[in-house]
């Protein structure tokens, strides 16, 4: 079968800071119904997954969808009850939660959804979060990633506490479990000590799908080691190609098959009858934006609070290399490419949360996606709708059929699990691997 | 002294396969605690019978030598979220430890479940968990008992503050003006205490119930003081009617002393019902159930309840005198009392505890079981009961099909839900936001 793209939907209230103000937009910061309807649209269009971003603080000037929202793991579990195939992925922080608790919740989501869980591993760069977790200061990036490595190793070890089929449940003999298939963890690291085992059977997918979204050097190294899906902020096709090559090389250096890594750049599509109409929509959106909220979006994305106090006509300052991460890299590149000053960059970022804006007719959007996909820059895309639910519906009913007709996207799900959709193998239990090779 | 409520409250202690250590071996019992099916089916049965709530006990650890139900669980908070959108009226309560979680995370999750369920969430506040849990959180042992309660007090203060981050009407939609929030109705907590510093605000609007219902189950002196100050429902282990009455009277007095209305405090002892067509039939069911138990596992369960390894003691001698337990004190005390008053041997206590985990066992015909509940309810020893089926779904089905209709006929239990939220059904008012209280006082 020819290679096909993978599609994810960022679930929420839309990424444009003022998108909710459009009369045709819906807004429900804690509305299960609004999230459910978007998920059902995505499932009908055979999307691989919906994804919930998250943050652990509510900034005073944040846009509505960030100020108040449902907690991702409980929301996804609720969505699991109303859907049958679509993958359910959420951000989970390795800095502000306990590995035993988070491993349980993701395993539980995987069980309750029949193998559709995905975990976007984040170290939480948000400066405000530390203040909500009894920490004087956010740990530095290096420490955060060191913690994250331990955290993920522990979670994988906990998911492997019991081999597949360990719970024999022999009623006759009164034997619940085959204890030869039980593996204590006894993990002792610098940041975490966890004895194990987990109080759960191995998840249907073995491990939930591991997702990563950091684009700093450390983040890419982390992705090379752990990630099966990489979400990335990219504006330029060639830069994205180089990014993919680098991450795959890092994965290969870790002894992994680089072709199993799925790279999904973010896109924000503004779709209309034609390009002119789409541009009008973009202008309409920009006219509604609150400049303070828009600026906060930019400063948080770039992790540069100092931008807020600079004049809007200033050029974007050069960052020292240690501060060049994810959105900071992408935004600096966009500013350079279009010659944007701070105010212009703010407007661009507020439209798409910094992700690549594609505007035009359904045909044009499909062409653009095809170009990126065929060139190898992307294995698929994560859709960031500017507002909801209109653009999600339009993408699903007008762009997806074109992609399907071109053979670029599935017409039906390959199987019941997220791993099936992504073409990722279920990880074999380490003990089973040892037994086969012995 | 307050008059007891007219009708009793019923909770279902929800376990995939029931309470008894060997329940999963009973024919027809669920054996798939990793699946949603056993939880959903039982919750739907309880909702059909108009139970106030289902309740999930929990401990974040796994004893590989334990019973099936202790080895394999579904994580309670995700499970409640799943039940929230598959049921419509029943309350959804989960146990969360204040020792092994972060208040900001738990505040969000519980608020989220309250939103998803339309106001049906409840939180059983526990300070510890089974002894094995500490090692899963980088600690050699639990913090000492009294310190755990100090942590819990501060935790609850923080979490309530977070739930009050936004006044009820802080969020709205004004597309014209581009406004969606009244920032005057945002309240940071800026808490800096002994154990936690949390700035807030929470990134979630105030939930339908204001606060999820607070449940507590501690029986130590510190635990009871904590319950009197904070809890709206108390789960308790009681075997003896007289002791249960004394406990209830003392608790209501303690609640009143903190300035709260004792009518808004529900005392719910655990009851493990075995219902048969006759008393003999019910007893035969118990005998069958006990025949499946592994004696070593049963003794381990009792040891956990008593906070002491009991394997060195002779099984056919009277239950030995033991030092006070640092864990599950209520269970240890109730079981010690029971053994003393009934002159039980260690073997007898082991079998009793392995069936009901130390809770009150009610065996008999549907009328007898209903009588046993009515007696305690009428005397004020209980406002309701936490029903703990020893095996499931069999023993639960017996209870809801045979006993509940009798209670309803006697006017002791509802035939329709009073409201949509758990607070409405329990008869516990929704807490107003402190800022509105202040405004009203001025």
């Amino acid at each position: 079968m020819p290679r096909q793209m993978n599609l994810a939907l960022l679930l929420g209230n839309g990424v444009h800071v003022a998108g909710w103000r459009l009369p045709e937009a819906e807004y429900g910061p804690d509305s299960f119904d609004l999230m459910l309807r978007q998920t059902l649209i995505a499932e009908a269009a055979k999307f691989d997954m919906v994804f919930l971003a998250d943050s652990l603080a509510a900034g005073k000037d944040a846009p509505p969808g960030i100020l108040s929202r449902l907690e991702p793991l409980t929301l996804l579990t609720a969505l699991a009850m109303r859907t049958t195939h679509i993958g359910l992925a959420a951000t989970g922080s390795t800095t502000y939660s306990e590995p035993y608790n988070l491993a349980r919740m993701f395993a539980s989501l995987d069980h309750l959804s029949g193998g559709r869980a995905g975990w976007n591993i984040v170290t939480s760069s948000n400066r405000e979060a530390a203040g909500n977790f009894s920490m004087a200061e956010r740990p530095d990036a290096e420490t955060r990633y060191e913690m994250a490595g331990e955290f993920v190793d522990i979670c994988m070890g906990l998911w492997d506490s019991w081999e597949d089929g360990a719970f024999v449940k022999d009623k006759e003999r009164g034997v619940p479990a085959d204890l030869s298939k039980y593996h204590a963890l006894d993990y002792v690291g610098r940041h975490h000590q966890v004895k194990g085992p987990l109080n759960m059977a191995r998840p249907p997918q073995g491990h939930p799908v591991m997702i990563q979204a950091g684009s700093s050097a450390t983040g890419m190294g982390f992705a090379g080691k752990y990630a099966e899906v990489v979400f990335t902020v990219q504006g330029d096709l060639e830069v994205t190609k180089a990014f993919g090559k680098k991450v795959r090389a890092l994965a290969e250096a870790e002894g992994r098959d680089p072709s199993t890594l799925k790279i999904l750049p973010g896109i924000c599509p503004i779709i209309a009858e034609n390009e002119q109409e789409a541009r009008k929509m973009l202008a309409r959106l920009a006219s509604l934006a609150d400049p303070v909220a828009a600026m906060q979006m930019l400063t948080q994305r770039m992790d540069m609070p100092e931008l807020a106090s600079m004049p809007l006509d200033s050029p974007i300052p050069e960052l020292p290399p240690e501060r060049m991460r994810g959105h900071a890299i992408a935004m600096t590149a966009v500013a350079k490419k279009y010659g944007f000053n701070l105010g212009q960059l703010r407007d661009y970022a507020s439209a798409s949360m910094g992700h690549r804006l594609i505007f035009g007719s359904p045909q044009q959007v499909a062409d653009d996606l095809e170009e990126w996909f065929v060139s190898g820059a992307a294995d698929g895309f994560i859709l960031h709708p500017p507002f909801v639910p209109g653009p999600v519906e339009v993408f699903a009913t007008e762009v997806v059929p074109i992609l399907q007709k071109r053979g670029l996207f599935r017409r039906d799900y390959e199987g019941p699990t997220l791993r099936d959709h992504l073409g990722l193998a279920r990880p074999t239990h380490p003990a089973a691997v040892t037994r086969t090779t012995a | 002294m307050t008059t007891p409520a007219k009708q009793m409250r019923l909770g279902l202690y929800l376990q995939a396969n029931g309470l008894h250590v060997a329940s999963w071996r009973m024919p027809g019992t669920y054996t798939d605690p990793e699946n949603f099916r056993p939880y959903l089916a039982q919750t739907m049965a309880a909702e059909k019978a108009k139970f106030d709530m289902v309740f999930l006990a929990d401990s974040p650890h796994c004893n590989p030598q334990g019973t099936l139900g202790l080895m394999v669980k579904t994580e309670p908070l995700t499970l409640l979220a799943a039940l929230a959108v598959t049921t419509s009226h029943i309350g959804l309560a989960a146990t969360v430890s204040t020792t092994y979680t972060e208040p900001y995370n738990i505040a969000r999750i519980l608020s989220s479940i309250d939103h998803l369920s339309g106001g049906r969430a409840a939180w059983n506040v526990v300070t510890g968990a089974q002894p094995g849990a500490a090692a899963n959180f980088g600690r050699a042992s639990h913090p000492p008992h009294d310190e755990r309660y100090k942590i819990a007090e501060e935790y609850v203060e923080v979490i309530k503050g977070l739930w009050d981050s936004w006044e009820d009407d802080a969020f709205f939609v004004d597309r014209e003006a581009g406004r969606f929030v009244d920032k005057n109705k945002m309240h940071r907590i800026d808490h800096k205490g002994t154990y936690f510093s949390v700035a807030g605000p929470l990134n979630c609007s105030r939930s339908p119930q204001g606060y999820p219902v607070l449940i507590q189950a501690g029986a130590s002196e510190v635990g009871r003081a904590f319950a009197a100050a904070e809890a709206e429902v108390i789960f308790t282990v009681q075997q003896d009617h007289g002791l249960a009455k004394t406990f209830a009277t003392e608790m209501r007095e303690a609640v009143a002393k903190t300035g709260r209305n004792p009518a808004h405090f529900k005392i719910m002892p655990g009851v493990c019902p075995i219902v048969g067509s006759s008393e003999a039939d019910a007893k035969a069911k118990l005998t069958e159930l006990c025949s499946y138990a592994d004696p070593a596992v049963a003794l381990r369960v009792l040891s956990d309840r008593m906070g002491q390894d009991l394997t060195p003691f002779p099984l056919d001698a009277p239950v030995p005198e033991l030092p006070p337990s640092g864990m599950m004190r209520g269970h240890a005390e109730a079981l010690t009392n029971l053994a003393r008053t009934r002159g039980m041997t260690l073997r007898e206590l082991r079998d009793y505890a392995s069936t009901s985990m130390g809770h009150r066992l009610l065996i008999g015909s549907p009328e007898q079981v209903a009588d046993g509940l009515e007696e305690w309810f009428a005397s004020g020893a209980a406002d309701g009961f936490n029903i703990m089926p020893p095996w499931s779904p069999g023993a639960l089905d017996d209870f809801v099909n045979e006993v509940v209709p009798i209670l309803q006929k006697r006017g002791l239990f509802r035939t329709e839900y009073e409201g949509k939220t758990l607070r409405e059904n329990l008869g516990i008012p929704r807490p107003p936001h402190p800022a509105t209280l202040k405004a009203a006082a001025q």
Side-chain angles (χ1 to χ4, degrees):
Chain A
M1 203 180 76
R3 179 173 161 259
Q4 290 193 319
M5 62 174 73
N6 303 107
L7 291 177
L9 169 67
L10 178 86
L11 203 53
N13 279 272
V15 295
H16 190 284
V17 281
W20 65 278
R21 292 184 64 186
L22 291 171
E24 65 267 42
E26 287 188 52
Y27 159 58
D30 35 45
S31 163
F32 174 62
D33 177 64
L34 184 54
M35 301 303 140
L36 176 62
R37 278 187 284 135
Q38 295 179 62
T39 306
L40 291 174
I41 293 169
E43 188 171 64
K46 316 297 176 196
F47 269 54
D48 293 76
M49 63 177 131
V50 290
F51 165 67
L52 287 165
D54 194 35
S55 67
L56 295 164
K60 201 174 174 214
D61 298 314
I66 289 177
L67 214 46
S68 175
R69 58 166 109 192
L70 295 168
E71 186 279 330
L73 282 157
T74 40
L75 173 54
L76 286 189
T77 314
L79 290 170
M81 299 295 113
R82 299 289 181 84
T83 53
T84 55
H85 283 80
I86 196 161
L88 303 161
T91 291
S93 168
T94 54
T95 304
Y96 301 113
S97 44
E98 307 77 11
Y100 199 88
N101 293 339
L102 205 65
R104 278 184 88 189
M105 291 188 86
F106 272 106
S108 190
L109 174 63
D110 206 47
H111 277 290
L112 292 168
S113 64
R116 298 188 278 140
W119 173 21
N120 176 36
I121 307 158
V122 303
T123 67
S124 305
S125 59
N126 185 333
R127 285 169 192 275
E128 285 181 48
N132 288 327
F133 291 85
S134 305
M135 289 191 195
E137 217 170 273
R138 171 184 71 165
D140 62 53
E142 201 178 314
T143 310
R144 290 203 312 275
Y145 272 103
E146 193 182 287
M147 292 165 79
E150 288 191 9
F151 197 113
V152 174
D153 287 340
I154 291 167
C155 288
M156 296 201 288
L158 288 171
W159 293 325
D160 289 336
S161 292
W162 301 91
E163 292 177 44
D164 295 306
F167 293 99
V168 292
K169 303 171 189 171
D170 182 339
K171 284 197 179 194
E172 273 306 299
R173 289 163 52 234
V175 177
D178 175 355
L179 290 182
S180 73
K181 294 190 168 170
Y182 147 69
H183 302 272
L185 179 62
D186 286 321
Y187 187 95
V188 180
R190 273 195 59 198
H191 304 279
H192 298 287
Q193 293 83 41
V194 178
K195 187 157 184 287
L198 198 66
N199 48 4
M200 298 182 97
R202 199 161 188 259
Q205 295 190 102
H207 302 167
V209 171
M210 309 292 253
I211 307 170
Q212 218 272 336
S215 300
S216 66
T218 330
M220 284 169 74
F222 191 84
K225 189 162 179 195
Y226 295 105
E228 299 174 294
V229 174
V230 176
F231 292 154
T232 175
V233 195
Q234 299 289 347
D236 180 85
L237 193 144
E238 290 307 321
V239 175
T240 314
K241 259 198 203 159
F243 169 83
K245 219 181 222 172
K246 210 162 157 189
V247 181
R248 284 189 221 278
L250 288 164
E252 201 161 14
E254 293 285 344
R256 300 174 60 205
D257 173 1
S259 72
T260 60
L261 213 75
K262 306 288 173 188
I263 295 173
L264 271 55
I267 51 158
C268 175
I270 311 252
I271 307 161
E273 232 164 280
N274 52 48
E275 190 178 328
Q276 203 180 351
E277 287 302 312
R279 278 184 188 274
K280 268 192 211 158
M281 167 64 84
L282 190 59
R284 219 173 127 217
L285 281 164
S287 72
L288 294 171
D290 166 4
V292 178
M295 184 56 85
Q296 190 185 340
M297 173 84 86
L298 181 67
T299 57
Q300 275 197 354
R301 293 278 131 189
M302 295 185 74
D303 194 18
M304 292 178 69
E306 66 267 32
L307 293 183
S309 52
M310 287 170 49
L312 288 178
D313 57 3
S314 337
I316 308 305
E318 288 287 328
L319 276 175
E322 69 273 12
R323 291 187 62 189
M324 286 298 274
R325 285 191 293 269
H327 283 269
I329 299 170
M331 287 296 95
T332 311
V334 164
K336 207 167 269 170
K337 185 173 168 189
Y338 298 107
F340 283 164
N341 63 28
L342 181 57
Q344 289 164 321
L345 188 64
R346 177 197 67 188
D347 290 343
Y348 180 97
S350 69
S352 63
M353 252 199 229
H355 288 276
R356 187 167 69 96
L357 267 172
I358 311 177
F359 44 88
S361 67
Q363 202 78 27
Q364 284 175 308
V365 172
D367 290 347
D368 178 298
L369 300 184
E370 179 168 6
E371 186 193 0
W372 278 58
F373 176 67
V374 170
S375 76
D379 296 305
F381 304 92
I382 173 163
L383 189 69
H384 293 60
F387 61 94
V388 295
V392 183
E393 182 90 61
V394 171
F395 188 92
T397 55
E398 294 184 28
V399 180
V400 167
I402 300 175
L403 298 172
Q404 287 171 330
K405 207 181 268 167
R406 295 181 188 174
L408 294 168
F409 189 59
R410 72 170 67 83
R411 287 176 185 276
D412 214 339
Y413 285 110
E414 292 83 2
T417 73
L418 178 54
R419 287 188 179 277
D420 292 334
H421 313 336
L422 293 166
L424 295 171
R426 182 178 190 272
T428 314
H429 193 285
V433 175
T434 316
R435 264 199 290 278
T436 344
T437 51
Chain B
M1 188 66 219
T2 52
T3 39
K6 220 177 102 244
Q7 293 194 318
M8 64 175 70
R9 313 286 148 210
L10 290 178
L12 168 64
Y13 183 89
L14 181 59
Q15 274 197 319
N17 48 281
L19 192 62
H20 186 280
V21 286
S23 60
W24 65 278
R25 296 181 68 188
M26 191 86 162
T29 300
Y30 292 125
T31 54
D32 52 346
E34 67 278 19
N35 290 338
F36 185 50
R37 177 188 70 134
Y39 304 100
L40 178 63
Q42 292 183 73
T43 304
M44 287 174 74
E47 186 170 67
K48 203 170 152 223
K50 316 293 177 200
F51 271 48
D52 291 83
M53 62 176 140
V54 293
F55 163 69
L56 292 163
D58 190 46
S59 174
H61 92 297
C62 169
N63 176 357
Q65 267 87 42
T67 69
L68 182 64
L70 290 175
M71 272 189 264
V72 189
K73 287 176 192 295
T74 297
E75 189 280 325
L77 298 163
T78 42
L79 179 54
L80 287 193
L83 291 169
V85 296
T86 46
T87 57
S88 58
H89 283 80
I90 195 160
L92 303 163
T95 297
V96 178
S97 162
T98 51
T99 307
Y100 300 116
T101 54
E102 286 284 345
Y104 196 87
N105 290 335
I106 298 303
R108 288 185 78 193
I109 290 173
L110 290 170
S111 177
S112 192
I113 295 170
D114 207 43
H115 278 291
L116 288 167
S117 63
R120 297 185 282 135
W123 169 30
N124 176 36
V125 187
V126 303
T127 64
Q130 301 274 337
N136 289 328
F137 296 86
R139 310 204 193 164
S141 63
H142 282 321
H145 179 270
D146 288 6
E147 188 182 2
R148 290 207 310 272
Y149 272 98
K150 286 201 185 109
I151 297 171
E153 274 167 33
E154 196 181 318
Y155 192 113
V156 170
E157 187 190 331
V158 169
I159 217 167
K160 283 184 170 176
L162 288 171
W163 284 332
D164 287 331
S165 291
W166 307 92
E167 292 176 43
D168 289 308
D169 54 353
F171 292 94
F172 52 88
V173 183
D174 183 347
R175 291 190 163 88
E176 271 308 297
R179 293 183 64 236
F180 58 93
V181 63
D182 179 350
K183 279 169 193 158
N184 296 319
K185 296 191 171 175
M186 177 186 102
H187 302 270
R188 287 171 65 97
I189 61 170
D190 287 320
H191 175 93
K192 282 194 170 40
T194 315
Y195 302 101
F196 302 104
S197 22
V198 179
L202 195 68
N203 51 359
C204 195
S205 61
R206 199 159 191 262
S207 75
Q209 293 191 105
Y211 307 154
V213 172
L214 257 58
I215 306 173
Q216 222 271 330
S220 66
E221 209 171 306
V222 190
R224 288 170 63 162
F226 179 72
E230 300 290 353
E232 297 168 299
V233 172
I234 187 164
F235 290 155
T236 169
V237 192
Q238 300 290 343
Q239 300 285 351
D240 178 87
H241 190 186
L243 291 176
K245 256 200 298 205
T246 311
F247 173 81
T249 309
E250 287 176 5
M251 281 313 301
R252 291 191 187 107
E253 279 167 12
V255 168
K257 236 177 240 167
T258 67
R260 300 170 59 208
N261 183 348
H264 301 154
F265 179 80
K266 306 296 173 190
I267 299 168
M268 296 175 68
V271 164
C272 175
I274 300 183
V275 185
S277 53
S278 63
E279 188 175 337
D281 180 44
K283 283 193 169 148
K285 287 185 183 178
L286 176 62
T287 309
E288 185 191 352
L289 187 60
C290 286
S291 73
Y292 297 122
D294 173 342
V297 174
L299 193 62
R300 214 173 294 127
V301 167
L302 181 62
S303 298
D304 277 356
R305 305 272 133 178
M306 302 290 278
Q308 184 87 22
D309 178 15
L310 298 168
T311 46
F313 297 98
L315 279 176
D316 292 308
V319 175
E321 288 293 327
L322 300 169
S325 172
M327 292 303 308
M328 302 175 85
R329 196 168 286 181
H331 282 272
E333 282 173 11
L335 287 166
T336 306
N337 276 332
L338 181 77
R340 209 174 284 146
T341 48
R342 299 198 190 169
M344 287 169 121
T345 63
L346 188 57
R347 184 190 303 276
E348 286 166 337
L349 189 65
R350 178 197 70 187
D351 290 345
Y352 193 102
S354 70
T355 302
S356 66
M357 293 283 169
H359 287 273
R360 178 183 176 211
L361 200 54
L362 260 180
I363 299 190
S365 67
E367 284 76 17
Q368 286 174 311
V369 173
D371 290 347
L373 299 178
E374 181 169 8
E375 188 192 4
W376 284 40
F377 176 67
S379 76
D383 296 308
F385 304 92
N386 199 21
I387 301 299
M388 313 171 101
W391 72 94
S392 287
L396 172 64
D397 288 344
D398 291 341
F399 185 86
V400 297
N401 295 332
E402 308 293 333
V403 181
V404 169
I406 299 176
L407 297 172
Q408 288 171 330
K409 209 183 259 169
R410 295 183 189 173
L412 294 168
F413 190 59
R414 69 167 68 82
T415 52
E416 274 312 325
Y417 283 107
E418 291 84 5
K420 287 287 268 181
T421 72
L422 177 58
R423 288 186 178 277
E424 285 164 359
N425 289 318
L426 288 171
I428 298 172
R430 181 181 194 271
H433 192 283
T436 32
L437 275 183
K438 224 182 275 169
Q442 274 163 8

